[in-house]
Amino acid sequence: MNRIVRVGLVQHAMGPDLEENRQASLDGLAQAASDGADLILLPELHASEYFCKYQDPALFELAETLDGPTRHALTDAARHHGVVVVGSIFEKRAPGLAHNTALVIDSDGSLAGTYRKMHIPDDPGYNEKFYFTPGDLGFVPIQTAIGRLGVLVCWDQWYPEAARLMAMAGAEILLYPTAIGKDPDDNEDEQLRQLDAWRTIQRGHAVANGLPVLACNRVGFEPDRSGGGHDAEFWGHSFIAGPQGEIIDEAGTESEVLVADIDLARGEQVRRIWPFLRDRRIDAYADLLKRWRD
Amino acid sequence: MNRIVRVGLVQHAMGPDLEENRQASLDGLAQAASDGADLILLPELHASEYFCKYQDPALFELAETLDGPTRHALTDAARHHGVVVVGSIFEKRAPGLAHNTALVIDSDGSLAGTYRKMHIPDDPGYNEKFYFTPGDLGFVPIQTAIGRLGVLVCWDQWYPEAARLMAMAGAEILLYPTAIGKDPDDNEDEQLRQLDAWRTIQRGHAVANGLPVLACNRVGFEPDRSGGGHDAEFWGHSFIAGPQGEIIDEAGTESEVLVADIDLARGEQVRRIWPFLRDRRIDAYADLLKRWRD
C-alpha cells in the first residue's frame, strides 16, 4: 500500500519590497500546485530580506501577527489551490516579544497549526538572538489533510534531538524552511564542506527516523544594508530526501520550484528492516537533558 | 595549533580459523603502524566469523574473557608498535552472560578501558539479542595517550543519542567497529541506499558534534553454516571523516589498511563557527527519555 504525496518546494530570492516577495511566493505556490503538489513548502522568512544580518530595533516593524498579511496571502492560496502550505513569518506576539514562526495552512485554508523556532542561532551576519525569542511550543507535529507534519526551522536542522522528538510524536515528514548561505570570506573548499554538512545532517535525520525530509532554502545575494559588511549569499540547494536519506530531487542555486512524489508508506517499511526505535536505550539517555557531562 | 593524529583502519575478512583471523588483524596492525598510525581501529568481532547469522548455544564457546587471547594479542601489538589499538571481542563475563565489547589498549599495552555495545540489533541474519546482553557501562569515552575516544559499536552508529552523549562527555573522536553487509535478496538500488544511509548517518554524527568519525567494517562473503540461508556479504567501505562530516579517506570492498591524518584541534574551530552545543534546548528534550510520545 503506497501513500503518495506530491510535494513542492518554492526556492526563491527576496528583495526589499515585501509585496514583491509575497508575490514571488504566491507565483511559486501556483506553479507547484499546477504541477500537482499537495504539500508546498516555502523558505524561512519569505516575506522579507533576511534582516538578521545586523541588529536594528527599527526592523521589528517587519514583524506581523499570526493574523497578518502573510497568513492571509497563504490562506487564500491554500484554499484556492486546495493544497497544504507551510510558510514562515517574523511573528509579532506582543510589543517586545517576537518569534520566528512557521505557519501550516491546511488545504481548506484553515490554520492547522504553528511552530515557533526552538533553536536560535547567533553568529556574525545571523543575529537571530536579538530578534527572536526561543519558541515555547515545543516539538509538536501538526496534523493536516495530507499527513502529520514535523515542521522545524533552519537552525533546528542541526539538532538530531529535534528531529527525533518530532518522529516520536508521530510526524510523517520532516520539513525545514531555511535561510542559509555561504560566507564569501571562506575558500571554496570550506564553502563546499558547509553545504555538504548541511545536506548530510538532514539526510541523517531521515535515516535515524525513517522519515522523508524536505528542506527549502532561499537563494540570491542580499547586501548588508547597515554597511556592516555581512552581505549574505544564500546557497539554495533545496532538496527532497526519502526515509533512507536518499536524495529524490535537489535544486540548484537559482530560483526554482521543485516538485516530486514521496511515499509516506515507505517509512514504515524502512523502520521494519531498521527498527531503530525498538532499541533506543532510554534507560541510559538521561544526560541528554544536561548542558554538558562534566 | 594543530593536533595531528594519524589513524589506521584495518578492514579485513574473517574465516572459520580463529588463529588466522587474529593473524590478519595483527598483520593489518603492523602495516598501519609501519605507515605511521598512532591509533588503529579493527572491525567488530574480528577474531571470528560473524556468528550471529543464526542462534546456536554452542557458539558461546567463541566468547572470551576480558583477559583472553584477543586482549593479549592486541596488548602485545600495541606495546610493540607503541600505538593505541581499538579491538572488539565477544566477551564472556559469566556463564550465561556475554557482551559485544570494544577493548581500548593504550600505546603502553595497558587496558585503557572497555565499552560494551549498548544498542543490540536483531533481524534476520543478525541474531544479536540471542548472544549479547545490552551494555551496562553507558556512553563513557576512554582516555588514551593520543586523546579521549568515544568508542561505540556497529548498531550504535544509527543512534544520534549515543554520539551526542559521547561528545558531551568530552570525546575527541567517534569510533565504530562494525560488521554490516548487504542482503543479496535486495536489488542493487536498495543495497546502494543502505550503504549510503550507513555512511550518511555517521557523517551526520560528525557534523552534529564537530568530531571526526572512524568506521571500520569487515569485508568478504561468510556462509550461513547452519544452512539457514542467511549468508552474509560484508560491504567494507570503512571510512575516515572530519568534523564537518567530510570524507577524508574511504576503503573499497576488499581487505585494505586505510591510513590518514586527522586534526583533533579542527573540531574546536568548527564548533566556534557552528556552536550547536550552545543552543541545545535541554528544557524541551525531556521526552527523549520516553519510548514514544503517545
Side-chain angles (χ1 to χ4, degrees):
Chain A
M1 263 278 287
N2 298 335
R3 263 182 70 204
I4 304 298
V5 171
R6 184 164 290 184
V7 299
L9 275 55
V10 179
Q11 173 175 291
H12 70 88
M14 293 74 175
D17 187 305
L18 304 189
E19 276 314 306
E20 281 179 22
N21 297 331
R22 248 188 296 268
Q23 195 55 50
S25 295
L26 295 175
D27 290 347
L29 281 171
Q31 186 184 327
S34 81
D35 290 342
D38 309 301
L39 166 64
I40 302 175
L41 176 61
L42 294 165
E44 186 182 14
L45 301 169
H46 47 84
S48 68
E49 288 189 326
Y50 181 76
F51 50 86
C52 311
K53 302 180 191 77
Y54 54 96
Q55 301 183 0
D56 182 350
L59 291 174
F60 281 90
E61 293 298 327
L62 291 169
E64 50 182 301
T65 67
L66 286 177
D67 205 29
T70 301
R71 148 82 179 282
H72 287 289
L74 298 183
T75 295
D76 290 348
R79 190 186 293 122
H80 176 71
H81 300 296
V83 297
V84 177
V85 175
V86 178
S88 164
I89 64 167
F90 181 17
E91 180 197 349
K92 178 172 184 166
R93 191 172 178 188
L97 182 62
H99 298 280
N100 183 326
T101 301
L103 303 178
V104 179
I105 315 289
D106 218 335
S107 52
D108 63 0
S110 63
L111 183 65
T114 58
Y115 167 80
R116 292 190 178 122
K117 186 174 184 172
M118 291 286 286
H119 299 97
I120 308 294
D122 207 71
D123 51 275
Y126 292 81
N127 290 268
E128 296 200 17
K129 289 195 195 293
F130 177 70
Y131 294 103
F132 306 129
T133 301
D136 59 350
L137 297 175
F139 303 99
V140 183
I142 296 169
Q143 187 66 49
T144 69
I146 62 97
R148 203 162 165 77
L149 309 186
V151 179
L152 296 159
V153 177
C154 202
W155 192 240
D156 293 322
Q157 69 212 350
W158 302 99
Y159 293 85
E161 293 92 342
R164 180 70 95 201
L165 286 165
M166 284 295 191
M168 287 171 59
E172 296 175 293
I173 316 179
L174 299 173
L175 301 96
Y176 295 93
T178 188
I180 189 168
K182 59 189 178 187
D183 182 339
D185 290 339
D186 285 330
N187 65 34
E188 198 187 337
D189 279 353
E190 175 64 20
Q191 291 173 350
L192 289 174
R193 274 197 301 272
Q194 293 188 9
L195 170 60
D196 204 36
W198 172 79
R199 189 167 30 209
T200 298
I201 198 166
Q202 292 177 89
R203 293 175 58 209
H205 303 329
V207 176
N209 298 293
L211 291 179
V213 168
L214 316 180
C216 188
N217 193 15
R218 48 171 75 204
V219 294
F221 175 82
E222 296 182 18
D224 178 346
R225 298 189 186 279
S226 77
H230 289 300
D231 301 335
E233 193 166 343
F234 296 99
W235 65 39
H237 281 284
S238 301
F239 67 85
I240 298 164
Q244 290 166 299
E246 73 277 20
I247 296 285
I248 294 172
D249 207 354
E250 182 171 6
T253 57
E254 303 295 325
S255 291
E256 182 175 345
V257 175
L258 206 62
V259 174
D261 288 344
I262 59 175
D263 179 1
L264 294 189
R266 169 89 182 134
E268 181 169 350
Q269 294 308 312
V270 170
R271 287 184 183 177
R272 288 185 188 188
I273 56 161
W274 286 341
F276 308 142
L277 293 170
R278 182 192 63 192
D279 295 330
R280 293 177 70 245
R281 288 295 302 271
I282 53 176
D283 60 307
Y285 289 170
D287 282 358
L288 289 172
L289 307 187
K290 290 188 178 169
R291 183 64 62 209
W292 188 250
R293 298 176 73 194
D294 51 11
Chain B
M1 263 276 285
N2 297 335
R3 263 182 71 204
I4 304 297
V5 171
R6 184 164 291 184
V7 299
L9 276 53
V10 179
Q11 172 175 293
H12 70 88
M14 291 75 174
D17 186 306
L18 303 190
E19 277 315 306
E20 281 180 22
N21 297 331
R22 248 186 299 266
Q23 196 53 52
S25 295
L26 294 176
D27 291 348
L29 281 170
Q31 184 183 328
S34 81
D35 290 344
D38 309 302
L39 166 65
I40 303 175
L41 175 63
L42 294 166
E44 186 183 14
L45 301 169
H46 47 85
S48 68
E49 287 188 327
Y50 180 77
F51 50 85
C52 312
K53 299 179 192 80
Y54 54 95
Q55 302 183 359
D56 181 353
L59 291 173
F60 280 90
E61 294 298 327
L62 290 168
E64 50 183 300
T65 68
L66 286 178
D67 205 28
T70 301
R71 149 82 178 282
H72 287 290
L74 298 181
T75 294
D76 291 347
R79 189 187 294 123
H80 176 71
H81 299 297
V83 298
V84 178
V85 175
V86 179
S88 164
I89 64 167
F90 181 18
E91 180 198 350
K92 179 172 183 167
R93 190 171 177 188
L97 182 62
H99 297 283
N100 183 326
T101 300
L103 302 179
V104 179
I105 316 289
D106 218 336
S107 52
D108 62 359
S110 63
L111 183 66
T114 58
Y115 167 80
R116 293 190 178 121
K117 186 173 182 174
M118 291 286 284
H119 300 97
I120 308 294
D122 207 71
D123 51 276
Y126 293 80
N127 290 268
E128 296 201 17
K129 289 194 195 295
F130 177 69
Y131 294 102
F132 307 130
T133 300
D136 58 350
L137 298 175
F139 302 98
V140 182
I142 295 169
Q143 187 66 49
T144 69
I146 61 98
R148 204 164 164 75
L149 310 185
V151 179
L152 296 160
V153 177
C154 203
W155 193 239
D156 293 322
Q157 71 212 348
W158 302 100
Y159 293 84
E161 293 91 342
R164 181 70 95 200
L165 286 165
M166 285 294 190
M168 287 171 59
E172 296 176 293
I173 317 179
L174 299 172
L175 302 94
Y176 296 93
T178 186
I180 189 167
K182 57 190 180 186
D183 183 338
D185 289 340
D186 284 332
N187 65 34
E188 198 187 337
D189 280 354
E190 174 65 19
Q191 291 172 350
L192 289 174
R193 273 197 301 273
Q194 293 189 6
L195 169 60
D196 204 38
W198 172 79
R199 189 168 29 211
T200 298
I201 197 165
Q202 291 177 89
R203 293 175 58 209
H205 303 329
V207 176
N209 298 293
L211 291 179
V213 169
L214 317 181
C216 188
N217 193 16
R218 47 172 76 205
V219 293
F221 175 82
E222 296 181 16
D224 178 346
R225 297 189 187 279
S226 77
H230 288 300
D231 302 335
E233 193 166 344
F234 296 100
W235 66 41
H237 282 283
S238 300
F239 68 84
I240 298 165
Q244 290 166 299
E246 71 278 20
I247 295 288
I248 294 172
D249 206 354
E250 181 171 6
T253 57
E254 303 295 325
S255 290
E256 183 174 343
V257 174
L258 208 63
V259 173
D261 288 343
I262 59 174
D263 179 0
L264 294 189
R266 170 87 183 133
E268 181 169 351
Q269 294 307 313
V270 170
R271 286 183 184 177
R272 288 184 189 189
I273 55 162
W274 287 340
F276 308 142
L277 293 170
R278 181 192 65 191
D279 296 330
R280 295 177 68 244
R281 289 295 303 271
I282 54 176
D283 60 307
Y285 289 171
D287 281 359
L288 291 172
L289 307 187
K290 291 189 177 170
R291 183 64 64 207
W292 190 250
R293 299 177 72 193
D294 49 12

